[in-house]
Amino acid sequence: IGNEKWELVSEGHGLTEGPAVNEKGDLFFTDLGKSKIHKVNKEGKVSTFVEESGGTNGLAFGPDGLLYGARRDAQQIVAWDANGKMKVVTKGVKPNDLVVSHEGVIYFTEPKTKTLWMVKKDGTRVVADYCGFSCNGVMLSADQSRLFVADYGGRFVYTYQLKADGGVAHKQAYFHLHIPVNGSRSKADGMAVDQSGWL
């Protein structure tokens, strides 16, 4: 914004991850190192939202206003309401990052198995794609017509077209990630898309 400078919001954490903002403008982020979730309100006040997050990494808000989280250590996708009450959406996976569509479909990555998962609106979990690469960050395009998946161990962000049923099709290496000349891993992680469509 104009000539505004960077400001320190919070410090003293282990490993911060998964920033997500609700409709009120409150920012939530995870501390993967200390297994907590913090909240920063519009006035900049920081508080602990979840004391024990189960190793939650990625966060995303759904159209229902719930905060969805990828609980790696607990091997679950969960959702919290505004009061911090949690419900389990699906379990038995080791998720890294997730995004929720306007229709309420959840997409999440499981790097260890190189799998992109989809949780349908009825709660059914299905494999969207066996990526074949170290899938990490995941994000939808501004118009929700495409899904982006970052390859932590490679050189690209891949893109999929979304089908009418929420499934994915036409995967291609789309965004080239710049890495050192002597390197081979981008270490690409979380992503965001602005209203103009920039990734």
Side-chain angles (χ1 to χ4, degrees), residues 83-104:
N83 298 313
K85 183 179 179 182
M86 187 191 81
K87 69 173 183 178
V88 176
V89 176
T90 191
K91 57 186 178 180
V93 290
K94 288 191 175 181
N96 178 76
D97 204 355
L98 79 167
V99 67
V100 187
S101 76
H102 293 162
E103 301 297 323

Side-chain angles (χ1 to χ4, degrees), residues 25 77 79 172 186 194:
I77 297 293
Q172 62 176 323
S186 67
D194 70 14

Side-chain angles (χ1 to χ4, degrees), residues 41-198:
N41 67 17
K42 288 188 292 185
E43 289 71 43
K45 181 181 178 182
V46 183
S47 60
T48 301
F49 180 65
V50 174
E51 282 287 351
E52 174 48 57
S53 73
T56 299
N57 195 335
L59 295 173
F61 277 95
D64 52 10
L66 297 179
L67 177 63
Y68 290 81
R71 296 183 88 202
R72 182 194 63 190
D73 297 345
Q75 300 184 27
Q76 299 168 330
I77 297 293
V78 298
W80 290 275
D81 67 14
N83 298 313
K85 183 179 179 182
M86 187 191 81
K87 69 173 183 178
V88 176
V89 176
T90 191
K91 57 186 178 180
V93 290
K94 288 191 175 181
N96 178 76
D97 204 355
L98 79 167
V99 67
V100 187
S101 76
H102 293 162
E103 301 297 323
V105 177
I106 304 167
Y107 301 92
F108 70 91
T109 54
E110 191 176 29
K112 187 175 182 180
T113 61
K114 300 180 179 180
T115 305
L116 172 66
W117 292 93
M118 176 176 71
V119 180
K120 299 178 181 180
K121 288 184 288 185
D122 64 5
T124 305
R125 184 181 78 213
V126 297
V127 172
D129 186 43
Y130 289 111
C131 301
F133 59 86
S134 184
C135 50
N136 196 305
V138 60
M139 181 55 56
L140 287 159
S141 62
D143 65 0
Q144 306 255 306
S145 67
R146 291 180 293 158
L147 185 74
F148 306 120
V149 181
D151 182 1
Y152 184 90
R155 296 172 175 267
F156 295 98
V157 172
Y158 288 80
T159 184
Y160 296 84
Q161 287 184 17
L162 291 188
K163 299 189 292 186
D165 64 357
V168 299
H170 310 301
K171 174 176 67 179
Q172 62 176 323
Y174 193 70
F175 295 101
H176 181 259
L177 299 165
H178 294 273
I179 59 177
V181 174
N182 61 347
S184 61
R185 302 173 67 192
S186 67
K187 298 185 180 179
D189 201 325
M191 299 177 287
V193 171
D194 70 14
Q195 292 176 332
S196 300
W198 289 94

